[in-house]
Amino acid sequence: MAILHGSWVRGKTEGSFFIWGETWRKIGAIDLQEARVNQHNPFAMTEAELKTFLASLQQSGQLRWQLPETGETSKKRARSSQTKIAETPQKSPANKQIRAIALPTQISESNNTLRPLHSAAAPDETVKIEEIYLYPWQVEGICLNAKVAFDFLQSLPLNSTETDYFIGGDLRFWTHIARWSLDLLARCKFLPSLEKQLDGSAIAKWQPLLDSSTDKSRFANFVKQMPAACRTYQQTDLITDIAVDFTTDSQELMLGFLSSITDSQVRSIGSGNAELKMVSPAREWVQALQQESGIVQAEPAALEKLASKLTAWTVPLQNQLSQNNQFRTCFQLIPPAVGKVNWSLNYCLQAADEAEFLVDAKTVWNNPVERLSYAGRTLELPQETLLSGLGLASKLYPLIEPSLQEQRPQSCNLNPLDAYNFIKSVAWRFTDSGLGVVLPPSLTKADGWASRLGLSIQAETKSPLVRGGKEGLGLQSLLNFKWELTIGGQRISQAEFNRLVALNSPLVEINGEWVELRAPDVKAAQTFFASRKEQMTLSLEDALRLASGDTQSIEKLPVVNFEAAGQLQELLNALSDNQAVSAIETPTNFRGQLRPYQALGAGWLAFLERWGLGACLADDMGCGKCILPQNLLFVNGFCKKLKNLGRLC
């Protein structure tokens, strides 16, 4: 039983991804008195065993990735070569390393022994829970740089239902983070930056931009779900005392991995030798963003000036870049009051970890303090946070600019069409830029405006199905059905529909709920009424398509709800439950032996007969329609023996 483990580990200058293998061996308990401080884990693979294991996974097709040459192999080849290139030290993308990792260990005080526990072993009832500790063991493994680690993680499968799969829980977690980083790269969620070093130099780097509420929420969820095993990788190779270091914060570890992966991937994509028409030091900075070293070759004074300009450029995004912002500017869309037409877009602050916690702009302006205590929570720089968000929002949605001319802006008015456009086209841009948006509940359904205008249909068979009788049910059999016009899940009459259309508004209120009234749906409904769709027919085929979702509209009018009743509902349930057809038992008066596939075919026929459905068994299907050569078959009014029918048997 071999398991592959791995996690991102921090380094003095840059991080790396450490992978190691765990295999099953028969081991004995280790005497505590004889145990060394830097004890090798007996379950851990050696470097040679790990390379062999990775090669076997590659040959079996389970891992489509090849381990690069490790540092020691590269050095050996360099020493054997007499070329000038060999004399130049090359940084290897993969290096052998011995690292200390805190692993579950049984420490028995009664026997004065310790024994490591295999991660994939079944729980041992003889091991007491109070005897299990985290103990620092040394393991051999391979450190991968960010670029190679990204390729490695991309080659691993995300999920597996097999209990003996080769991916450990710590490694599987990072495969999900790698996929998410690919999503961030595809959406261009990264920014260039300049990091000053202690020696006065500067390095150009790319960093991830987690500014949208979706990415922030996803980042927070990943931090919470990080396995504890990812934090047990110790910062030092050699242990001087029996202790476990948990100083690495989960959020810090995640940001370090995302930053390194983003930097390596964007740097490799943007590398080139194109001539840049820029002035110094911006030219050197952009060139460094494309080079592997990232070192900016410029004078200290020029670097200081460049850093100041970059800081000013990223001021609107400082909260997102720091990942420490607890509140964000939010926009709450309020429907018009009774007798009014215009909507109100209210400004407020929203807690990043609790969407329901809102602080309106009036409260913010009435408390000009650096730290505002409100409803048991503390807001840092509330007015500055609100103004920063309003400034960003005005660039995305110019309609709010006039309201910002006020000394204390609190809201802006929107007509129904502007409110509709805000919901459809602006809200997602706000959330993608790190701003909060609160819409009326009926307009925020996750399935994409399911409250639209459409048909609600109830259908049933015209007559009870005669099971086993001559009256069958075909796909074109007509059904009894009743249709009604609905919007927002509520049924409306034609008069109510005409009243809503007369409002000439894309947003209408039905019994206290605001819903969307799409122009194409209105036109389709008007055509539906004009053509007297009371005469419309509905077949069993139509019902099957509606129930399965294959058909979603009738006469261009969406079917928002379909309900089957009686035996039709039973039939749809039987067809949609994906239940396997049971083989029929051989009748007692049947002379012969049914093969398994024949019994299964007969069971399918019995299922169809039960629901009054017909079937046609095509010739040469190979499903054993003929039982014995001596059996009689009724063909065109004559009984003939099967052996005389030639290839029909």
Side-chain angles (χ1 to χ4, degrees), residues 306-358:
L306 176 62
S308 300
K309 291 183 178 180
L310 289 176
T311 301
W313 178 54
T314 58
V315 162
L317 298 174
Q318 285 304 317
N319 287 336
Q320 287 82 353
L321 295 175
S322 65
Q323 297 296 321
N324 294 323
N325 52 322
Q326 300 296 322
F327 286 84
R328 62 190 172 205
T329 305
C330 180
F331 298 83
Q332 186 178 22
L333 187 62
I334 305 299
V338 178
K340 302 295 183 178
V341 177
N342 287 340
W343 294 59
S344 177
L345 189 62
N346 293 354
Y347 310 146
C348 56
L349 292 179
Q350 182 185 49
D353 57 350
E354 187 179 354
E356 294 76 16
F357 191 94
L358 302 175

Side-chain angles (χ1 to χ4, degrees), residues 574-575 578-584 596 598-608:
L575 294 176
N578 294 326
Q579 297 178 353
V581 177
S582 301
I584 194 173
Q598 292 175 321
L600 189 61
W604 169 247
L605 293 175
F607 169 79
L608 296 177

Side-chain angles (χ1 to χ4, degrees), residues 153-451:
L153 293 172
Q154 289 289 326
S155 67
L156 295 173
L158 286 175
N159 298 304
S160 174
T161 57
E162 301 179 16
T163 57
D164 58 342
Y165 214 64
F166 66 91
I167 302 178
D170 50 352
L171 182 58
R172 188 177 299 282
F173 172 80
W174 292 109
T175 63
H176 289 274
I177 307 303
R179 261 64 169 200
W180 181 38
S181 69
L182 189 62
D183 172 68
L184 294 174
L185 292 171
R187 292 187 287 118
C188 296
K189 288 292 185 178
F190 49 83
L191 281 177
S193 63
L194 184 67
E195 289 188 3
K196 295 182 180 179
Q197 305 300 306
L198 296 177
D199 58 359
S201 62
I203 296 180
K205 284 190 174 183
W206 296 95
Q207 58 180 334
L209 177 61
L210 307 179
D211 58 341
S212 72
S213 57
T214 301
D215 289 331
K216 290 179 181 178
S217 175
R218 188 173 296 174
F219 178 82
N221 289 335
F222 275 131
V223 169
K224 293 179 181 179
Q225 295 172 6
M226 178 182 288
C230 296
R231 299 178 56 207
T232 61
Y233 290 67
Q234 305 302 288
Q235 298 301 315
T236 57
D237 301 338
L238 297 177
I239 300 297
T240 58
D241 195 9
I242 304 299
V244 177
D245 184 13
F246 275 105
T247 57
T248 303
D249 182 66
S250 299
Q251 177 172 308
E252 184 180 352
L253 197 61
M254 276 273 296
L255 282 177
F257 175 79
L258 286 175
S259 298
S260 298
I261 292 296
T262 301
D263 181 69
S264 65
Q265 292 301 307
V266 180
R267 194 181 299 275
S268 62
I269 295 173
S271 60
N273 298 318
E275 183 178 353
L276 301 174
K277 297 182 180 180
M278 297 180 180
V279 297
S280 181
R283 179 177 61 254
E284 290 78 8
W285 174 60
V286 174
Q287 288 176 343
L289 286 170
Q290 304 175 38
Q291 299 169 354
E292 185 176 354
S293 64
I295 300 177
V296 182
Q297 303 292 342
E299 296 295 329
L303 290 176
E304 194 71 29
K305 186 176 180 180
L306 176 62
S308 300
K309 291 183 178 180
L310 289 176
T311 301
W313 178 54
T314 58
V315 162
L317 298 174
Q318 285 304 317
N319 287 336
Q320 287 82 353
L321 295 175
S322 65
Q323 297 296 321
N324 294 323
N325 52 322
Q326 300 296 322
F327 286 84
R328 62 190 172 205
T329 305
C330 180
F331 298 83
Q332 186 178 22
L333 187 62
I334 305 299
V338 178
K340 302 295 183 178
V341 177
N342 287 340
W343 294 59
S344 177
L345 189 62
N346 293 354
Y347 310 146
C348 56
L349 292 179
Q350 182 185 49
D353 57 350
E354 187 179 354
E356 294 76 16
F357 191 94
L358 302 175
V359 183
D360 60 89
K362 183 177 180 180
T363 301
V364 174
W365 297 127
N366 290 339
N367 295 274
V369 293
E370 292 186 358
R371 300 185 66 184
L372 172 62
S373 297
Y374 182 84
R377 302 193 64 165
T378 302
L379 289 75
E380 300 287 346
L381 303 175
Q383 293 187 357
E384 288 80 354
T385 303
L386 181 62
L387 285 173
S388 175
L390 291 176
L392 175 61
S394 64
K395 298 178 181 179
L396 302 174
Y397 192 49
L399 282 181
I400 70 173
E401 285 187 2
S403 68
L404 302 186
Q405 302 303 319
E406 302 176 9
Q407 185 177 3
R408 296 183 172 185
Q410 300 180 22
S411 64
C412 71
N413 292 327
L414 302 177
N415 61 43
L417 184 58
D418 290 335
Y420 177 78
N421 290 333
F422 176 83
I423 297 172
K424 297 287 287 184
S425 305
V426 181
W428 72 268
R429 297 185 63 191
F430 274 21
T431 57
D432 195 53
S433 299
L435 303 172
V437 174
V438 178
L439 302 176
S442 58
L443 297 176
T444 57
K445 294 189 177 180
D447 52 358
W449 295 62
S451 56

